[in-house]
Coordinates of all heavy atoms in Angstrom, one line a residue:
V1034 N 148.6 -77.5 -92.9 CA 149.6 -77.4 -92.0 C 149.2 -76.5 -90.8 O 149.3 -76.9 -89.6 CB 150.9 -76.8 -92.6 CG1 151.9 -76.5 -91.5 CG2 151.5 -77.7 -93.7
V1035 N 148.6 -75.3 -91.0 CA 148.2 -74.5 -89.9 C 147.1 -75.2 -89.1 O 147.2 -75.1 -87.9 CB 147.7 -73.1 -90.5 CG1 147.1 -72.3 -89.4 CG2 148.8 -72.4 -91.2
S1036 N 146.1 -75.7 -89.7 CA 145.0 -76.4 -89.0 C 145.6 -77.5 -88.0 O 145.1 -77.7 -87.0 CB 143.9 -76.9 -89.9 OG 144.4 -77.8 -90.7
E1037 N 146.6 -78.2 -88.6 CA 147.2 -79.3 -87.8 C 148.0 -78.7 -86.6 O 147.9 -79.2 -85.4 CB 148.1 -80.2 -88.6 CG 148.7 -81.3 -87.9 CD 147.8 -82.4 -87.4 OE1 146.6 -82.3 -87.8 OE2 148.2 -83.3 -86.6
V1038 N 148.6 -77.7 -86.8 CA 149.4 -77.0 -85.6 C 148.4 -76.5 -84.6 O 148.6 -76.7 -83.4 CB 150.2 -75.8 -86.1 CG1 150.8 -75.0 -85.0 CG2 151.4 -76.3 -87.0
M1039 N 147.3 -76.0 -85.1 CA 146.2 -75.5 -84.1 C 145.6 -76.7 -83.4 O 145.4 -76.6 -82.2 CB 145.1 -74.8 -84.9 CG 145.6 -73.5 -85.7 SD 146.2 -72.2 -84.6 CE 144.8 -71.8 -83.8
R1040 N 145.4 -77.7 -84.1 CA 144.8 -78.9 -83.4 C 145.7 -79.5 -82.3 O 145.4 -79.8 -81.2 CB 144.5 -80.1 -84.5 CG 143.8 -81.2 -83.8 CD 143.7 -82.4 -84.9 NE 144.9 -83.0 -85.1 CZ 145.6 -83.8 -84.2 NH1 145.1 -84.0 -83.1 NH2 146.7 -84.4 -84.6
L1041 N 147.0 -79.6 -82.7 CA 148.0 -80.1 -81.7 C 148.2 -79.2 -80.6 O 148.3 -79.7 -79.4 CB 149.4 -80.3 -82.5 CG 149.4 -81.4 -83.5 CD1 150.7 -81.3 -84.3 CD2 149.3 -82.8 -82.8
A1042 N 148.2 -77.9 -80.8 CA 148.3 -77.0 -79.7 C 147.1 -77.1 -78.7 O 147.3 -77.1 -77.5 CB 148.5 -75.6 -80.2
K1043 N 146.0 -77.1 -79.4 CA 144.8 -77.2 -78.5 C 144.8 -78.5 -77.7 O 144.5 -78.5 -76.5 CB 143.5 -77.2 -79.3 CG 142.2 -77.2 -78.6 CD 141.0 -77.0 -79.5 CE 139.8 -76.9 -78.6 NZ 138.6 -76.8 -79.5
T1044 N 145.1 -79.6 -78.3 CA 145.2 -80.9 -77.6 C 146.2 -80.9 -76.4 O 146.0 -81.4 -75.4 CB 145.7 -82.0 -78.5 OG1 144.7 -82.2 -79.6 CG2 145.7 -83.4 -77.9
A1045 N 147.3 -80.1 -76.7 CA 148.4 -80.1 -75.7 C 148.2 -78.9 -74.7 O 148.9 -78.8 -73.7 CB 149.8 -79.9 -76.4
G1046 N 147.1 -78.1 -74.9 CA 146.9 -77.0 -74.0 C 147.9 -76.0 -74.1 O 148.2 -75.2 -73.2
K1047 N 148.4 -75.7 -75.3 CA 149.5 -74.7 -75.6 C 149.0 -73.5 -76.3 O 148.1 -73.7 -77.2 CB 150.7 -75.4 -76.3 CG 151.3 -76.5 -75.6 CD 151.9 -76.2 -74.3 CE 152.6 -77.3 -73.7 NZ 153.2 -77.0 -72.4
P1048 N 149.5 -72.3 -76.0 CA 149.1 -71.2 -76.8 C 149.7 -71.2 -78.2 O 150.7 -71.9 -78.5 CB 149.7 -70.0 -76.0 CG 150.9 -70.6 -75.3 CD 150.5 -72.0 -75.0
V1049 N 149.1 -70.5 -79.2 CA 149.5 -70.4 -80.5 C 150.0 -69.0 -80.8 O 149.1 -68.1 -80.6 CB 148.5 -70.9 -81.5 CG1 148.9 -70.7 -83.0 CG2 148.1 -72.3 -81.3
I1050 N 151.2 -68.8 -81.2 CA 151.6 -67.5 -81.6 C 151.9 -67.5 -83.1 O 152.7 -68.3 -83.5 CB 152.9 -67.1 -80.9 CG1 152.6 -67.0 -79.4 CG2 153.4 -65.7 -81.4 CD1 153.9 -66.8 -78.5
A1051 N 151.1 -66.7 -83.8 CA 151.2 -66.7 -85.3 C 152.2 -65.5 -85.7 O 152.1 -64.4 -85.2 CB 149.9 -66.4 -86.0
V1052 N 153.1 -65.7 -86.6 CA 154.0 -64.7 -87.1 C 153.7 -64.5 -88.6 O 153.7 -65.5 -89.3 CB 155.5 -65.1 -86.9 CG1 156.5 -64.1 -87.4 CG2 155.8 -65.4 -85.4
C1053 N 153.4 -63.3 -88.9 CA 153.0 -63.0 -90.3 C 153.6 -61.7 -90.8 O 154.2 -60.9 -90.0 CB 151.5 -63.0 -90.5 SG 150.7 -61.7 -89.5
G1054 N 153.5 -61.5 -92.1 CA 153.9 -60.2 -92.6 C 153.1 -59.0 -92.2 O 153.6 -58.0 -91.7
K1055 N 151.8 -59.2 -92.3 CA 150.8 -58.2 -91.9 C 149.5 -58.9 -91.6 O 149.1 -59.8 -92.3 CB 150.6 -57.2 -93.1 CG 149.6 -56.1 -92.7 CD 149.5 -55.2 -93.9 CE 148.5 -54.0 -93.5 NZ 148.4 -53.1 -94.6
C1056 N 148.9 -58.4 -90.5 CA 147.6 -59.0 -90.1 C 146.5 -57.9 -90.0 O 146.7 -56.9 -89.3 CB 147.7 -59.7 -88.8 SG 146.2 -60.4 -88.2
D1057 N 145.5 -58.1 -90.8 CA 144.4 -57.1 -90.8 C 143.2 -57.6 -90.1 O 142.1 -57.0 -90.1 CB 144.0 -56.7 -92.2 CG 145.1 -55.9 -92.9 OD1 145.8 -55.1 -92.2 OD2 145.3 -56.1 -94.1
L1058 N 143.2 -58.8 -89.5 CA 142.1 -59.4 -88.8 C 141.8 -58.7 -87.5 O 142.8 -58.3 -86.8 CB 142.3 -60.9 -88.5 CG 142.4 -61.8 -89.8 CD1 142.8 -63.2 -89.3 CD2 141.1 -61.8 -90.5
P1059 N 140.6 -58.5 -87.2 CA 140.2 -57.9 -85.9 C 140.6 -58.9 -84.7 O 140.6 -60.1 -85.0 CB 138.7 -57.7 -85.9 CG 138.2 -58.3 -87.1 CD 139.4 -58.7 -88.0
E1060 N 140.9 -58.4 -83.6 CA 141.2 -59.2 -82.4 C 140.2 -60.4 -82.2 O 140.6 -61.4 -81.9 CB 141.3 -58.3 -81.2 CG 141.9 -59.0 -79.9 CD 143.3 -59.1 -79.9 OE1 144.0 -58.4 -80.6 OE2 143.8 -59.9 -79.1
E1061 N 139.0 -60.1 -82.3 CA 138.0 -61.1 -82.0 C 138.1 -62.3 -83.0 O 137.9 -63.4 -82.6 CB 136.5 -60.6 -82.1 CG 136.2 -59.3 -81.4 CD 136.7 -58.0 -82.2 OE1 136.4 -57.8 -83.3 OE2 137.4 -57.2 -81.5
E1062 N 138.4 -62.0 -84.2 CA 138.5 -63.0 -85.2 C 139.8 -63.9 -85.0 O 139.8 -65.1 -85.1 CB 138.5 -62.5 -86.7 CG 138.3 -63.6 -87.7 CD 138.0 -63.0 -89.0 OE1 137.6 -61.8 -89.2 OE2 138.2 -63.7 -90.0
I1063 N 140.8 -63.2 -84.6 CA 142.0 -63.9 -84.3 C 141.8 -64.9 -83.1 O 142.2 -66.1 -83.2 CB 143.2 -62.9 -83.9 CG1 143.6 -62.1 -85.1 CG2 144.3 -63.6 -83.3 CD1 144.4 -60.9 -84.8
K1064 N 141.2 -64.4 -82.1 CA 140.9 -65.3 -80.9 C 139.9 -66.4 -81.3 O 140.1 -67.5 -80.8 CB 140.3 -64.4 -79.8 CG 141.2 -63.3 -79.3 CD 142.4 -63.9 -78.5 CE 143.2 -62.7 -78.0 NZ 144.5 -63.1 -77.6
A1065 N 139.0 -66.1 -82.1 CA 138.0 -67.1 -82.5 C 138.7 -68.3 -83.3 O 138.2 -69.4 -83.2 CB 136.9 -66.5 -83.5
H1066 N 139.8 -68.1 -83.9 CA 140.6 -69.1 -84.6 C 141.5 -69.8 -83.7 O 142.3 -70.7 -84.1 CB 141.4 -68.5 -85.8 CG 140.5 -68.1 -86.9 ND1 139.9 -69.0 -87.7 CD2 140.2 -66.9 -87.4 CE1 139.2 -68.4 -88.7 NE2 139.4 -67.1 -88.5
G1067 N 141.6 -69.4 -82.4 CA 142.4 -70.1 -81.4 C 143.8 -69.6 -81.3 O 144.7 -70.1 -80.7
V1068 N 144.0 -68.4 -82.0 CA 145.4 -67.8 -81.9 C 145.5 -66.9 -80.7 O 144.7 -66.1 -80.5 CB 145.7 -67.0 -83.2 CG1 147.0 -66.3 -83.1 CG2 145.6 -68.0 -84.4
T1069 N 146.6 -67.1 -79.9 CA 146.8 -66.4 -78.7 C 147.3 -65.0 -79.0 O 147.0 -64.0 -78.4 CB 147.7 -67.1 -77.8 OG1 147.2 -68.5 -77.5 CG2 147.9 -66.5 -76.4
K1070 N 148.3 -65.0 -79.9 CA 149.0 -63.7 -80.2 C 149.4 -63.7 -81.7 O 149.8 -64.8 -82.2 CB 150.2 -63.6 -79.2 CG 151.2 -62.5 -79.5 CD 150.8 -61.3 -78.9 CE 151.8 -60.2 -79.1 NZ 151.3 -58.9 -78.7
V1071 N 149.5 -62.5 -82.3 CA 149.9 -62.4 -83.6 C 151.1 -61.4 -83.6 O 151.0 -60.3 -83.0 CB 148.9 -61.8 -84.6 CG1 149.4 -61.5 -85.9 CG2 147.7 -62.8 -84.7
I1072 N 152.2 -61.8 -84.2 CA 153.4 -60.9 -84.3 C 153.4 -60.6 -85.8 O 153.6 -61.4 -86.6 CB 154.6 -61.6 -83.9 CG1 154.6 -62.0 -82.4 CG2 155.9 -60.7 -84.2 CD1 155.7 -62.9 -81.9
S1073 N 153.2 -59.3 -86.1 CA 153.1 -58.9 -87.5 C 154.4 -58.1 -87.8 O 154.8 -57.2 -87.0 CB 151.9 -57.9 -87.7 OG 151.9 -57.5 -89.0
L1074 N 155.1 -58.4 -88.9 CA 156.3 -57.7 -89.2 C 156.0 -56.2 -89.7 O 156.8 -55.4 -89.5 CB 157.1 -58.5 -90.3 CG 157.6 -59.8 -90.0 CD1 158.4 -60.4 -91.1 CD2 158.3 -59.9 -88.6
V1075 N 154.9 -56.1 -90.3 CA 154.5 -54.7 -90.8 C 153.7 -54.1 -89.7 O 152.7 -54.7 -89.2 CB 153.7 -54.7 -92.1 CG1 153.2 -53.4 -92.5 CG2 154.5 -55.4 -93.2
D1076 N 154.1 -52.9 -89.2 CA 153.3 -52.2 -88.2 C 153.6 -50.7 -88.4 O 154.1 -50.3 -89.5 CB 153.7 -52.6 -86.8 CG 155.2 -52.5 -86.5 OD1 155.9 -51.7 -87.1 OD2 155.6 -53.1 -85.5
H1077 N 153.3 -49.9 -87.4 CA 153.4 -48.4 -87.5 C 154.9 -48.0 -87.7 O 155.2 -46.9 -88.1 CB 152.8 -47.8 -86.3 CG 153.5 -48.1 -85.0 ND1 153.2 -49.3 -84.3 CD2 154.5 -47.5 -84.2 CE1 154.0 -49.3 -83.2 NE2 154.8 -48.3 -83.2
E1078 N 155.9 -48.8 -87.3 CA 157.3 -48.5 -87.5 C 158.0 -49.2 -88.7 O 159.1 -48.9 -89.0 CB 158.0 -48.6 -86.3 CG 158.0 -49.9 -85.6 CD 158.7 -50.0 -84.3 OE1 158.4 -49.1 -83.4 OE2 159.4 -51.0 -84.0
T1079 N 157.3 -50.2 -89.2 CA 158.0 -51.0 -90.2 C 157.1 -51.1 -91.5 O 155.9 -51.5 -91.4 CB 158.2 -52.4 -89.8 OG1 159.0 -52.4 -88.6 CG2 159.0 -53.3 -90.8
T1080 N 157.6 -50.7 -92.6 CA 156.8 -50.7 -93.9 C 156.8 -52.1 -94.5 O 157.7 -52.9 -94.1 CB 157.3 -49.7 -94.9 OG1 158.6 -50.2 -95.3 CG2 157.4 -48.3 -94.4
A1081 N 155.9 -52.4 -95.3 CA 155.9 -53.7 -96.0 C 157.1 -53.9 -96.8 O 157.7 -55.0 -96.8 CB 154.6 -53.8 -96.9
E1082 N 157.6 -52.8 -97.5 CA 158.8 -52.9 -98.3 C 160.0 -53.3 -97.4 O 160.8 -54.2 -97.7 CB 159.1 -51.6 -99.0 CG 160.4 -51.6 -99.8 CD 160.7 -50.3 -100.5 OE1 159.8 -49.4 -100.6 OE2 161.8 -50.2 -101.0
S1083 N 160.2 -52.7 -96.2 CA 161.2 -53.0 -95.3 C 161.1 -54.3 -94.7 O 162.1 -55.1 -94.6 CB 161.3 -51.9 -94.2 OG 162.3 -52.3 -93.3
A1084 N 159.8 -54.8 -94.4 CA 159.6 -56.1 -93.8 C 160.1 -57.2 -94.9 O 160.5 -58.2 -94.4 CB 158.2 -56.2 -93.5
M1085 N 159.8 -56.9 -96.1 CA 160.2 -58.0 -97.1 C 161.7 -57.9 -97.4 O 162.3 -58.9 -97.5 CB 159.4 -57.7 -98.4 CG 158.0 -58.1 -98.3 SD 157.1 -58.0 -99.8 CE 156.8 -56.3 -100.0
K1086 N 162.2 -56.7 -97.5 CA 163.7 -56.6 -97.8 C 164.6 -57.1 -96.7 O 165.6 -57.6 -96.9 CB 164.0 -55.1 -98.1 CG 165.3 -54.9 -98.7 CD 165.5 -53.5 -99.1 CE 166.9 -53.3 -99.8 NZ 167.0 -51.9 -100.3
H1087 N 164.1 -56.9 -95.4 CA 164.9 -57.2 -94.3 C 164.1 -58.1 -93.3 O 164.2 -58.0 -92.1 CB 165.3 -55.9 -93.5 CG 165.9 -54.9 -94.3 ND1 167.2 -55.0 -94.8 CD2 165.4 -53.7 -94.8 CE1 167.5 -53.9 -95.6 NE2 166.5 -53.1 -95.6
A1088 N 163.5 -59.1 -93.9 CA 162.6 -60.0 -93.1 C 163.3 -60.7 -92.0 O 162.8 -60.7 -90.9 CB 162.0 -61.1 -94.1
S1089 N 164.5 -61.2 -92.2 CA 165.2 -61.9 -91.1 C 165.5 -61.0 -89.9 O 165.3 -61.4 -88.8 CB 166.6 -62.4 -91.7 OG 167.3 -63.1 -90.7
A1090 N 165.9 -59.8 -90.2 CA 166.2 -58.8 -89.1 C 164.9 -58.5 -88.4 O 164.9 -58.4 -87.1 CB 166.9 -57.6 -89.6
H1091 N 163.9 -58.2 -89.1 CA 162.6 -57.8 -88.4 C 162.0 -59.0 -87.7 O 161.5 -58.8 -86.5 CB 161.6 -57.3 -89.5 CG 161.9 -56.0 -90.0 ND1 162.0 -54.8 -89.2 CD2 162.2 -55.6 -91.3 CE1 162.4 -53.8 -90.1 NE2 162.5 -54.2 -91.3
L1092 N 162.1 -60.2 -88.2 CA 161.6 -61.3 -87.6 C 162.4 -61.6 -86.3 O 161.8 -61.9 -85.2 CB 161.7 -62.5 -88.5 CG 161.2 -63.9 -88.0 CD1 159.7 -63.8 -87.7 CD2 161.5 -65.0 -89.0
T1093 N 163.7 -61.5 -86.3 CA 164.5 -61.8 -85.1 C 164.2 -60.7 -84.1 O 164.0 -61.1 -82.9 CB 166.0 -61.7 -85.5 OG1 166.3 -62.7 -86.5 CG2 166.9 -61.8 -84.3
R1094 N 164.1 -59.5 -84.4 CA 163.8 -58.4 -83.5 C 162.5 -58.5 -82.8 O 162.3 -58.5 -81.6 CB 164.0 -57.0 -84.1 CG 163.7 -55.9 -83.2 CD 164.0 -54.5 -84.0 NE 163.2 -54.4 -85.2 CZ 161.9 -54.0 -85.3 NH1 161.2 -53.7 -84.1 NH2 161.3 -53.8 -86.4
K1095 N 161.5 -58.8 -83.6 CA 160.1 -58.8 -83.1 C 159.8 -60.0 -82.2 O 159.2 -59.9 -81.2 CB 159.1 -58.6 -84.2 CG 159.2 -57.2 -84.8 CD 158.0 -56.8 -85.7 CE 158.2 -55.4 -86.1 NZ 157.0 -54.8 -86.5
V1096 N 160.3 -61.2 -82.8 CA 160.0 -62.4 -82.0 C 160.9 -62.4 -80.7 O 160.4 -62.8 -79.7 CB 160.4 -63.6 -82.9 CG1 160.4 -64.9 -82.0 CG2 159.3 -63.8 -84.0
S1097 N 162.0 -61.9 -80.8 CA 162.9 -61.8 -79.5 C 162.3 -60.8 -78.5 O 162.2 -61.2 -77.3 CB 164.3 -61.3 -79.9 OG 165.0 -62.2 -80.6
A1098 N 161.8 -59.7 -79.0 CA 161.1 -58.8 -78.1 C 159.8 -59.4 -77.4 O 159.6 -59.2 -76.2 CB 160.7 -57.5 -78.8
E1099 N 159.1 -60.2 -78.2 CA 157.9 -60.8 -77.6 C 158.3 -61.9 -76.6 O 157.7 -61.9 -75.5 CB 157.0 -61.4 -78.8 CG 155.7 -62.0 -78.3 CD 154.8 -61.0 -77.6 OE1 154.8 -59.9 -78.1 OE2 154.1 -61.4 -76.7
F1100 N 159.3 -62.7 -76.9 CA 159.6 -63.6 -75.8 C 160.3 -63.0 -74.6 O 160.0 -63.5 -73.5 CB 160.6 -64.7 -76.5 CG 159.8 -65.7 -77.2 CD1 159.5 -65.6 -78.6 CD2 159.2 -66.8 -76.6 CE1 158.8 -66.5 -79.3 CE2 158.5 -67.8 -77.3 CZ 158.2 -67.6 -78.7
K1101 N 160.9 -61.9 -74.8 CA 161.5 -61.2 -73.6 C 160.3 -60.7 -72.8 O 160.4 -60.7 -71.6 CB 162.4 -60.1 -74.1 CG 163.8 -60.6 -74.5 CD 164.7 -59.5 -75.1 CE 166.0 -60.0 -75.5 NZ 166.8 -59.0 -76.1
N1102 N 159.4 -60.2 -73.5 CA 158.2 -59.6 -72.8 C 157.4 -60.7 -72.0 O 157.1 -60.6 -70.9 CB 157.3 -59.0 -73.8 CG 156.0 -58.4 -73.2 OD1 156.1 -57.7 -72.1 ND2 154.9 -58.5 -73.8
V1103 N 157.3 -61.9 -72.6 CA 156.6 -63.0 -72.0 C 157.4 -63.5 -70.8 O 156.9 -63.9 -69.8 CB 156.3 -64.2 -73.0 CG1 155.8 -65.4 -72.3 CG2 155.3 -63.7 -74.0
A1104 N 158.7 -63.6 -71.0 CA 159.6 -64.2 -70.0 C 159.8 -63.1 -68.8 O 160.4 -63.5 -67.8 CB 160.9 -64.6 -70.6
G1105 N 159.5 -61.8 -69.1 CA 159.7 -60.8 -68.1 C 161.1 -60.2 -68.0 O 161.6 -59.7 -67.0
F1106 N 161.8 -60.3 -69.1 CA 163.2 -59.8 -69.2 C 163.1 -58.2 -69.4 O 162.4 -57.7 -70.2 CB 164.1 -60.4 -70.3 CG 164.4 -61.9 -69.9 CD1 163.9 -62.9 -70.6 CD2 165.2 -62.2 -68.8 CE1 164.2 -64.2 -70.4 CE2 165.5 -63.5 -68.5 CZ 164.9 -64.5 -69.3

């Protein structure tokens, strides 16, 4: 599924934003796979336990913040 999404995005010239629980990959490896941006639910302010327990809230907050940032709001 992921490889097909990547293929379609590349064909269409669209960026790929990956959303995950936690990402430990270095920036260079992320870019090498064709991913433009990674949104990780676990970070310096959100623990893995909180990310799993309140996934919907964290997902909504982080994705909304990223899109507001991209859109310039």
Side-chain angles (χ1 to χ4, degrees):
V1034 172
V1035 174
S1036 61
E1037 182 64 10
V1038 170
M1039 299 297 293
R1040 186 189 70 72
L1041 290 170
K1043 185 175 183 177
T1044 300
K1047 301 296 181 182
V1049 174
I1050 300 174
V1052 180
C1053 62
K1055 182 178 180 184
C1056 181
D1057 292 324
L1058 295 175
E1060 185 81 20
E1061 309 82 52
E1062 194 169 341
I1063 292 168
K1064 299 290 183 199
H1066 287 289
V1068 176
T1069 306
K1070 172 83 177 170
V1071 173
I1072 300 172
S1073 179
L1074 299 186
V1075 176
D1076 60 17
H1077 63 278
E1078 58 187 42
T1079 305
T1080 65
E1082 181 180 345
S1083 178
M1085 287 186 283
K1086 189 173 184 178
H1087 308 288
S1089 180
H1091 289 298
L1092 183 62
T1093 300
R1094 180 176 54 84
K1095 293 193 177 200
V1096 171
S1097 293
E1099 184 59 36
F1100 279 93
K1101 285 178 184 176
N1102 183 38
V1103 169
F1106 292 113

